[in-house]
Amino acid sequence: MKIILSRHGNTFSAGAKAIWIGGQADPPLVLEGERQARQLGTVLQGARRIPSAAFCSPLRRTSAYAEIALATSGAKRPPVADSRLSEIDYGDWEGLSNIEVVRRFGARDFFDWYRRSIWPISNWKSEQNAYFDAIDSFLMGLKGSYRPTETILVVTAHGPLKCIGRRLMGKFGDFPVAQLARVDTGNICELEMGDGFLRPVTWNEPPGVLLPSAWPK
């Protein structure tokens, strides 16, 4: 089974101050974010990768992104919201810029999370083990529900994607830690899942890298 993970598109207009937005804030997509969603849908259609099912977090920025992408691709089923894909509650980091986080909480905490996805000691309101367990539970649920030849689309925010990347760090030489620690808005990752394995096909790339699946007949 192939899982296409997509980070939702832009929620900040060009030139606007970028701040940390966790699971307690839910701004809508801006026009560029909607364009990114249509681009994903166009690529899915062109690569003949129409998802058998799609999931998103409860946030409107992920559900709207998934809905636009699916409608553009020609998919018939709407996305299913799953709370296990919820964004991290960043606590005292919420509403701050990167520079402000560094000044208030120190460069080590910030860069450990930003570059290596190491959960900081800062006052985040999400609990690390419970958060990782929820994401693992979601992925295992997919494995038991879909056939090996199916493609599943998952649209979520940055937190879940970084945690999945953290699980993969050090296991695949083609994907350095710095790459697995980040997914830019509108970019995708593709995973292949089977009995006892989960491996990245691509990570933090524009949707245009998607290719038609070549399954043996």
Side-chain angles (χ1 to χ4, degrees):
M1 174 177 54
K2 296 289 181 66
I3 304 170
I4 298 171
L5 304 169
S6 175
R7 185 178 175 187
H8 63 75
N10 290 2
T11 53
F12 297 107
S13 300
K17 178 184 178 182
I19 59 174
W20 284 74
I21 297 175
Q24 299 306 308
D26 197 7
L29 298 172
V30 297
L31 290 178
E32 172 61 14
E34 294 175 357
R35 184 202 66 78
Q36 290 168 307
R38 290 191 294 272
Q39 179 187 30
L40 174 58
T42 299
V43 169
L44 290 170
Q45 183 183 59
R48 302 187 296 282
R49 301 290 300 278
I50 308 302
S52 301
F55 298 88
C56 61
S57 84
L59 296 171
R60 62 175 173 169
R61 59 186 184 264
T62 67
S63 60
Y65 194 86
E67 288 165 4
I68 294 169
L70 291 168
T72 306
S73 76
K76 303 301 181 186
R77 296 182 180 179
V80 175
D82 194 308
S83 61
R84 292 173 293 181
L85 297 169
S86 294
E87 176 62 300
I88 295 168
D89 185 334
Y90 294 111
D92 291 340
W93 290 25
E94 186 82 22
L96 303 179
S97 67
N98 289 347
I99 292 175
E100 290 167 337
V101 169
V102 169
R103 287 174 177 167
R104 294 192 192 184
F105 302 102
R108 180 171 182 176
D109 267 8
F110 173 78
F111 285 110
D112 274 353
W113 175 250
Y114 192 85
R115 294 174 176 169
R116 297 192 289 167
S117 297
I118 296 174
W119 203 276
I121 350 173
S122 298
N123 183 27
W124 287 7
K125 294 183 180 177
S126 296
E127 198 278 319
Q128 179 178 358
N129 291 333
Y131 195 83
F132 273 89
D133 287 347
I135 295 167
D136 290 343
S137 169
F138 172 78
L139 291 174
M140 290 305 101
L142 294 183
K143 186 174 71 171
S145 303
Y146 298 97
R147 299 187 302 273
T149 56
E150 292 186 278
T151 293
I152 309 302
L153 174 65
V154 178
V155 178
T156 188
H158 206 196
L161 299 176
K162 283 176 68 68
C163 291
I164 294 170
R166 178 70 185 172
R167 291 290 198 224
L168 301 172
M169 287 178 185
K171 300 178 182 178
F172 303 93
D174 292 341
F175 294 90
V177 166
Q179 183 176 359
L180 292 169
R182 181 160 185 82
V183 181
D184 296 317
T185 52
N187 273 7
I188 63 159
C189 314
E190 186 173 8
L191 301 176
E192 186 174 14
M193 175 183 279
D195 292 333
F197 72 87
L198 180 69
R199 58 174 170 253
V201 178
T202 188
W203 195 270
N204 193 21
E205 299 285 354
V209 301
L210 280 178
L211 298 173
S213 290
W215 300 106
K217 297 182 179 179

